């Protein structure tokens, strides 16, 4: 059990460090999109490999792909910075993967909003089967 706790702690530290590096230090113009968020960091048990899931929120798919490419090109710099900030025997090999779950959720919300279901009707339709009565 102790082993997984350490992996989780290191994952959180790596996530924080990469978020700061992307937000404040990377100067690549391709990263000038709406929002880049580190969704999750999956570290191998031996901490040698890190798969970084990023969400890039932009309306243009080309911008998303070029931002992902810019992140992948920045891996050597990001690894050096992580090595300076987090004292570990080895600095993880980093790979960036696109996670579109935030964008997917926003798209679902947009579709639901377009359905224009009045809130009054929605609560009346549930009637006595509702779970929110107290």
């Amino acid at each position: 059990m102790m082993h997984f706790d350490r992996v989780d702690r290191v994952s959180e530290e790596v996530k924080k460090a990469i978020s700061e590096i992307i937000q404040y230090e990377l100067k690549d113009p391709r990263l000038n999109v709406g929002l880049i968020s580190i969704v999750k960091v999956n570290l191998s048990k031996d901490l040698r490999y890190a798969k970084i899931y990023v969400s890039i929120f932009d309306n243009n798919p080309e911008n998303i792909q070029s931002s992902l490419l810019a992140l992948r090109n920045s891996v050597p710099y990001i690894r050096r910075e992580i090595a300076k900030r987090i004292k570990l025997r080895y600095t993880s090999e980093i790979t960036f993967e696109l996670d579109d779950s935030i964008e997917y959720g926003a798209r679902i919300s947009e579709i639901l909003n377009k359905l224009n279901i009045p809130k009054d009707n929605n609560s009346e339709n549930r009637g006595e089967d509702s779970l929110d009565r107290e």
Side-chain angles (χ1 to χ4, degrees), residues 49-68:
Y49 300 95
K51 191 174 279 191
I52 315 297
Y53 292 94
V54 294
S55 179
I56 302 170
F57 197 75
D58 195 276
N59 292 331
N60 185 342
E62 288 176 16
N63 289 349
I64 293 172
Q65 288 306 314
S66 69
S67 295
L68 185 60

Side-chain angles (χ1 to χ4, degrees), residues 10 17 23 26 37 42 51 55 59 65 67 71 73 76 81 84 86 89 91-92 96 99 108 114 120 122 125:
V10 174
Q23 188 171 6
L26 292 182
S37 177
N42 272 354
K51 191 174 279 191
S55 179
N59 292 331
Q65 288 306 314
S67 295
L71 286 174
N73 290 342
E81 288 301 309
K84 290 178 192 174
I86 304 172
R89 185 172 291 155
T91 303
S92 306
F96 282 102
D99 181 321
I108 296 294
K114 284 181 181 175
D120 294 339
N122 196 12
N125 288 342

